[in-house]
Amino acid sequence: QVQLVESGGGWVLPGGSLRLSCSASGIIFPLASLAWYRQAPGKQRELVATFTSGGSTNIANGVKGRFTISRDNAKNTLYLQMNNLKPEDTAVYYCNCNAEAGWERNYWGQGTQVTVSS
């Protein structure tokens, strides 16, 4: 059974930082391509960052320079470091696995709420 469990969300003042974690089980983590998405109230879910099994990363333009994606294959964990947070970063953040060992997948975590507000 595949499980992606996000943690690390919360409330933070503008300019603050948070680190999200996504702990995975039931997948061959080193061979998985992973991503972070977010969904703000009333908006569509959007891609934030990706980390392929081959080691390539990509950050969405709106958060480039502020967010960093990383992974620890030994711990089966994906991270999203978010710095200089802005109110428009407020959203539910989701972990996603879209490929594993070359096969397409579509696994999602339950999401973690990030609120940036003064």
Side-chain angles (χ1 to χ4, degrees):
Q1 182 181 0
V2 176
Q3 280 195 313
L4 301 176
V5 180
E6 301 96 336
S7 62
W11 173 81
V12 64
L13 289 168
S17 298
L18 285 174
R19 188 176 81 155
L20 305 183
S21 300
C22 171
S23 178
S25 60
I27 60 174
I28 307 171
F29 191 86
L31 301 183
S33 289
L34 304 160
W36 287 101
Y37 284 76
R38 68 184 182 185
Q39 187 166 19
K43 295 188 177 181
Q44 288 191 333
R45 193 171 294 190
E46 64 175 355
L47 180 64
V48 175
T50 61
F51 203 137
T52 70
S53 58
S56 298
T57 61
N58 190 51
I59 305 292
N61 287 335
V63 301
K64 196 167 292 185
R66 300 188 296 120
F67 289 14
T68 303
I69 189 171
S70 61
R71 63 193 289 167
D72 186 336
N73 287 341
K75 295 183 178 180
N76 284 12
T77 303
L78 178 73
Y79 301 101
L80 185 68
Q81 178 67 44
M82 307 185 294
N83 298 328
N84 191 21
L85 283 160
K86 303 177 180 182
E88 52 264 41
D89 296 317
T90 295
V92 179
Y93 284 71
Y94 296 92
C95 178
N96 170 261
C97 173
N98 56 71
E100 179 192 10
W103 295 95
E104 285 192 4
R105 299 284 186 257
N106 193 27
Y107 303 134
W108 292 93
Q110 83 289 348
T112 186
Q113 175 71 46
V114 171
T115 302
V116 186
S117 172
S118 56

